[in-house]
Amino acid sequence: MSFYFGFNSPEEQEKRRKADLQAIGKSVTEFFWDVAPAHGFEMREGQQDMSFEIIDALIHNQHFAVEAGVGIGKSFGYLVPVLLYNKKMKKPVIVATSTIALQEQLWNDVHDVMPLLNTQPEVILAKGQTHYLCHKRANEYINMEDAVIPKELTDGIEQGFQERKQFSSSLPQSIWDKVNIQRFSMRNCGSCEKKCLYYAIRSQLRYTKGIVLCNQDFLTAHLRQLRRGQDGLINREADLIVVDEAHNLDDKVRSATTERVNQSKILGLLQSATKEIKPADRQNVYRETNEAQKAIRTFFDSLKAQMQQQISNSQQDMRYADRFFFDGSLESINLLKSMCSAIKSAALSIQVYASYDFNNRSTAASDELDDQSENLAEMIEELDDYLLWIERKGSQAELVYCPKNTREITNRLYFNGSAHTILTSATLTNATDGSLEEQYAYFISNTGFPTDEHGCLSEPKPSPYPYDEHSMIYYCDDLPHPTREHEAFIEQGVKRLLDVLDISGGKALVLFTAKSDMEEVYSILSQMDLPYKVLMQQSGSSQDHVLNEFKENTNSVLLGTGAYWEGISIEGKSLSNVVIFRLPFPVPDPIIEYKASIAKDPLMDVRVPEMVIKLKQGIGRLIRNFKDTGIVCIIDRRLRDEPPERYHDVTWASLPIKNKTRSLDELRNFYESLPSRHDDVER
């Protein structure tokens, strides 16, 4: 046990801390050299090196970043030192990731390794609030007139279910969104304290001395509260943080600092806030609310017009984009200011009259309306410090804004506090040669990871899998350009897709850069009589149904985008083919363009690293253990050899599979020579 006495000098405390860390290092060595082999665990050099390097970084008071390829066993690589640190130092440790699948896998991994280390800390799995039932919202919804109340909902509530995954997968996501937790606070949710699972979890987090498994959004919110001098969401004694899937960190921090202004939501808030006033007084706010409604509609009509103009004028794929540029013209800024002023006036009037009704139990909507107008006003006052863009939501447009200095915010939250941060991912580097700073350049640029004595970049740990023996990349050089000749590309791309699916007999995950491409290709394939079932990514709980069908149907083909590149679990499915339908170059996008504007070489420093990291993620969907075999097919001509694009060499050098071909015949011969192929034939 470690004892730190108040009269110890800082030097003495640091000396004792280093001694404790050296003792932890000795225990890490004993685990990998003695304990793990005795229990049948496979020895993995990269995994051991990663654990030793983490302890070394802590001894030297450094933050640590490492790319650990698929198969290194990075989870155990950091969990062993983390659990031993927790045991020795008696302090909570936070492990954050970006997907539910990995959070749940970590729960299993922690409980597998704990007995081997002779430790039994409290382990808290803290998912996002929307995964949990809100008893108050559920009761209000069930008692609404004309509410559609599925049996799956009432049966689940009667059985005491509180988490989304406990309810039937057939419960529509649209219904779940009406009964889940949306705005949790310890103060406002006190009436549900004794029956709410999420309330219990949030209470545990404040005092735990154990291991917290959460998502990066939750961790970022916690660190932001600490920076403001607040208590935070997790025990503030936690001074060791692990961020897994750290390639997503800058996006998660940007998301945490992003505000959204949605026409339907803000008009709904205005209506709800007005209802907080006694009916007799509502006429007194009519002028202000009417002016606000007109200003809101005028502003959002202008956003839709901007969106349509960009689609019409663009020479690229803006018609398939989700994000668009806010033009920043004087006219647009004036419309924004007018809307903000009108909302502020309406919110103020509503709050004045709502305060007359002392029996009114809630002013939540008017408070939120006032908060939104204050946020808008603050942004407008410091407009040059914010990045604004438009997002498409169905047929509607949404204004989105966040601070430009996301890199500085990330650096301040994760690398300038009292905690040490360990970052890892299978895809952190954007190059395979040069100095470590050059290999990790894009990650450093996005996060502000310290490259001085306060930060340690590790040599990337390559995957131990025999990629070139077990896999081959097929790439095209004869297809139309995917953006300039889009219709022809889709037509001929589908034919090439059918060629490569014929080789593998289905058994494929087809990954798309654009949702519109996915839907177009699915529409074509679904009308064909194919010898395998074609499935397409769905939203909400329907996704679970599709994934289960994909896993159970051996030859099925699944089309997906977004999270399907890395964030969904397909364990149990034997893939033979991962098809990348169009290289994952980001379409023109305000965030990408902003990064490009501050980069030395916009193309090489922004678009290419994003594409390389995404390609590596896609390949990682195929080869996940020593037995996996198959092919990766890139339906896109932009990695052709002649004439080569200027990113040709760096892209190919970064991919783990070096065995590649442009010949379908060679691809077929390779596929049929695979040992797993013979096993399939025998079965």
Side-chain angles (χ1 to χ4, degrees):
M1 180 179 293
S2 303
F3 296 95
Y4 295 93
F5 298 99
F7 54 81
N8 282 352
S9 68
E11 292 78 11
E12 290 172 325
Q13 291 179 30
E14 181 62 17
K15 183 178 179 181
R16 183 55 185 266
R17 175 183 168 275
K18 287 188 176 181
D20 285 341
L21 287 167
Q22 287 165 350
I24 294 171
K26 183 178 178 181
S27 297
V28 170
T29 301
E30 291 173 353
F31 174 82
F32 283 110
W33 288 10
D34 301 323
V35 178
H39 287 82
F41 281 82
E42 182 183 341
M43 300 294 286
R44 302 183 186 182
E45 183 180 348
Q47 184 186 67
Q48 297 174 41
D49 290 346
M50 178 179 169
S51 290
F52 299 145
E53 289 171 2
I54 287 172
I55 296 299
D56 193 56
L58 292 175
I59 289 173
H60 290 89
N61 277 312
Q62 293 176 309
H63 303 288
F64 178 77
V66 58
E67 176 176 280
V70 178
I72 287 296
K74 61 183 170 66
S75 297
F76 272 47
Y78 62 72
L79 285 177
V80 170
V82 156
L83 286 166
L84 289 169
Y85 182 94
N86 171 259
K87 181 181 180 181
K88 184 76 173 176
M89 302 300 200
K90 307 299 181 188
K91 290 185 177 182
V93 175
I94 305 170
V95 181
T97 183
S98 59
T99 62
I100 289 291
L102 185 52
Q103 272 185 270
E104 293 178 339
Q105 181 59 51
L106 284 173
W107 171 271
N108 296 328
D109 290 344
V110 168
H111 286 85
D112 285 343
V113 78
M114 280 184 348
L116 305 180
L117 298 173
N118 193 28
T119 184
Q120 292 182 316
E122 177 180 49
V123 184
I124 302 175
L125 182 60
K127 297 179 184 178
Q129 62 182 11
T130 58
H131 290 272
Y132 298 90
L133 180 77
C134 175
H135 294 274
K136 183 174 183 293
R137 293 188 75 217
N139 186 58
E140 289 174 350
Y141 177 70
I142 289 172
N143 287 294
M144 283 176 56
E145 291 185 16
D146 302 324
V148 177
I149 306 172
K151 191 172 186 296
E152 298 96 325
L153 176 63
T154 53
D155 285 352
I157 292 175
E158 286 175 6
Q159 293 179 64
F161 294 167
Q162 297 217 43
E163 202 175 335
R164 176 65 180 94
K165 71 175 186 178
Q166 295 176 305
F167 288 81
S168 169
S169 61
S170 60
L171 176 65
Q173 185 65 30
S174 59
I175 300 296
W176 177 251
D177 288 339
K178 297 180 186 301
V179 300
N180 62 0
I181 298 174
Q182 295 285 344
R183 298 184 185 90
F184 176 87
S185 77
M186 300 294 284
R187 180 171 59 86
N188 294 335
C189 297
S191 60
C192 294
E193 175 183 355
K194 294 182 179 179
K195 58 184 177 181
C196 177
L197 175 60
Y198 189 69
Y199 193 104
I201 291 171
R202 288 290 295 271
S203 298
Q204 281 179 283
L205 291 171
R206 301 287 291 274
Y207 306 104
T208 186
K209 295 284 189 178
I211 309 297
V212 175
L213 307 177
C214 64
N215 60 38
Q216 293 174 21
D217 306 84
F218 192 85
L219 173 57
T220 300
H222 165 68
L223 295 176
R224 291 183 77 196
Q225 287 195 13
L226 292 183
R227 293 292 299 188
R228 297 185 192 118
Q230 300 170 332
D231 288 337
L233 304 174
I234 304 168
N235 188 340
R236 62 187 306 130
E237 291 184 18
D239 64 356
L240 180 58
I241 294 168
V242 178
V243 180
D244 204 340
E245 297 176 318
H247 59 277
N248 289 318
L249 183 59
D250 69 308
D251 283 337
K252 296 299 182 181
V253 173
R254 181 176 292 105
S255 176
T257 57
T258 293
E259 299 287 344
R260 297 175 179 277
V261 188
N262 178 283
Q263 177 174 332
S264 298
K265 180 181 177 182
I266 205 165
L267 288 174
L269 269 178
L270 197 61
Q271 184 179 38
S272 298
T274 304
K275 290 180 180 177
E276 292 175 353
I277 304 173
K278 289 189 292 187
D281 289 331
R282 290 176 189 169
Q283 61 181 351
N284 297 318
V285 300
Y286 174 78
R287 183 176 64 82
E288 287 87 353
T289 56
N290 191 48
E291 289 297 320
Q293 288 173 358
K294 287 194 293 185
I296 292 166
R297 292 192 174 98
T298 300
F299 175 74
F300 281 98
D301 284 346
S302 78
L303 292 190
K304 285 189 281 188
Q306 288 183 44
M307 208 166 59
Q308 188 56 53
Q309 185 175 26
Q310 289 175 48
I311 292 172
S312 301
N313 294 346
S314 175
Q315 299 298 311
Q316 301 191 56
D317 265 358
M318 291 301 285
R319 58 181 168 155
Y320 306 111
D322 294 320
R323 291 187 182 133
F324 297 82
F325 299 90
F326 179 74
D327 66 17
S329 65
L330 180 62
E331 179 184 2
S332 296
I333 297 298
N334 285 337
L335 289 175
L336 175 60
K337 289 179 177 179
S338 296
M339 180 182 73
C340 178
S341 176
I343 293 170
K344 184 65 178 174
S345 295
L348 180 61
S349 292
I350 289 169
Q351 286 189 321
V352 168
Y353 285 98
S355 67
Y356 293 167
D357 184 3
F358 298 108
N359 295 320
N360 191 358
R361 291 180 296 174
S362 173
T363 57
S366 54
D367 288 344
E368 188 174 348
L369 187 68
D370 187 58
D371 286 344
Q372 186 136 71
S373 68
E374 290 288 352
N375 291 339
L376 273 171
E378 181 181 325
M379 179 269 290
I380 290 170
E381 286 177 9
E382 302 174 2
L383 196 59
D384 290 343
D385 296 329
Y386 281 84
L387 182 63
L388 284 71
W389 67 92
I390 304 167
E391 287 196 8
R392 174 162 37 192
K393 297 295 179 184
S395 61
Q396 300 299 311
E398 184 175 72
L399 178 69
V400 191
Y401 60 93
C402 72
K404 287 181 177 178
N405 62 333
T406 302
R407 169 194 167 111
E408 289 78 9
I409 293 171
T410 307
N411 176 277
R412 188 165 61 246
L413 292 178
Y414 283 86
F415 311 124
N416 268 308
S418 59
H420 294 89
T421 305
I422 310 301
L423 304 108
T424 184
S425 168
T427 51
L428 281 187
T429 62
N430 54 277
T432 55
D433 52 14
S435 68
L436 288 176
E437 286 189 32
E438 289 170 330
Q439 292 179 53
Y440 286 92
Y442 191 58
F443 171 73
I444 294 169
S445 173
N446 285 340
T447 62
F449 182 85
T451 55
D452 56 13
E453 69 274 12
H454 300 296
C456 175
L457 294 170
S458 171
E459 286 284 348
K461 308 292 184 279
S463 171
Y465 298 152
Y467 280 100
D468 288 337
E469 295 175 30
H470 287 186
S471 55
M472 173 181 275
I473 293 180
Y474 166 77
Y475 64 110
C476 310
D477 60 2
D478 58 344
L479 293 177
H481 193 281
T483 58
R484 294 194 291 267
E485 307 164 279
H486 187 75
E487 290 184 7
F489 167 74
I490 291 292
E491 180 183 351
Q492 295 185 38
V494 168
K495 292 178 181 177
R496 194 61 50 87
L497 172 62
L498 291 171
D499 288 338
V500 299
L501 291 178
D502 179 64
I503 290 173
S504 63
K507 306 184 190 68
L509 177 64
V510 186
L511 297 170
F512 291 83
T513 302
K515 182 181 178 182
S516 55
D517 283 2
M518 176 183 72
E519 292 172 342
E520 197 169 349
V521 170
Y522 177 77
S523 176
I524 296 170
L525 295 181
S526 62
Q527 298 177 39
M528 296 181 173
D529 183 18
L530 300 172
Y532 40 79
K533 186 158 189 175
V534 179
L535 304 166
M536 185 176 71
Q537 172 183 352
Q538 302 294 321
S539 60
S541 58
S542 299
Q543 175 174 281
D544 296 332
H545 176 75
V546 169
L547 288 173
N548 288 334
E549 188 171 2
F550 181 53
K551 294 172 188 177
E552 292 168 5
N553 189 322
T554 303
N555 295 327
S556 60
V557 174
L558 176 59
L559 315 186
T561 187
Y564 278 56
W565 286 82
E566 60 166 332
I568 51 105
S569 173
I570 52 173
E571 294 299 323
K573 173 72 174 187
S574 179
L575 281 178
S576 295
N577 193 352
V578 168
V579 183
I580 294 165
F581 197 95
R582 186 150 69 111
L583 286 175
F585 269 114
V587 297
D589 176 291
I591 293 174
I592 298 295
E593 295 303 318
Y594 173 69
K595 289 180 181 179
S597 72
I598 58 175
K600 296 176 184 177
D601 185 336
L603 178 64
M604 295 297 284
D605 287 355
V606 178
R607 295 185 182 275
V608 173
E610 293 243 345
M611 180 194 70
V612 167
I613 288 170
K614 207 76 171 175
L615 276 174
K616 289 163 71 175
Q617 290 168 357
I619 290 172
R621 305 305 272 151
L622 177 69
I623 304 296
R624 293 166 291 166
N625 59 53
F626 283 96
K627 295 182 179 179
D628 281 342
T629 62
I631 53 179
V632 175
C633 302
I634 301 174
I635 310 296
D636 196 318
R637 77 180 194 190
R638 288 175 291 179
L639 282 184
R640 65 183 185 265
D641 299 321
E642 293 295 338
E645 300 285 357
R646 67 188 184 114
Y647 48 81
H648 175 277
D649 291 350
V650 68
T651 301
W652 281 118
S654 299
L655 302 184
I657 303 175
K658 309 303 179 187
N659 186 22
K660 55 191 175 77
T661 183
R662 292 171 295 161
S663 165
L664 286 170
D665 289 337
E666 187 176 351
L667 183 72
R668 184 181 296 276
N669 291 336
F670 172 81
Y671 181 78
E672 293 181 349
S673 71
L674 292 171
S676 59
R677 173 61 177 157
H678 297 303
D679 293 342
D680 288 342
V681 171
E682 290 173 7
R683 284 198 293 270

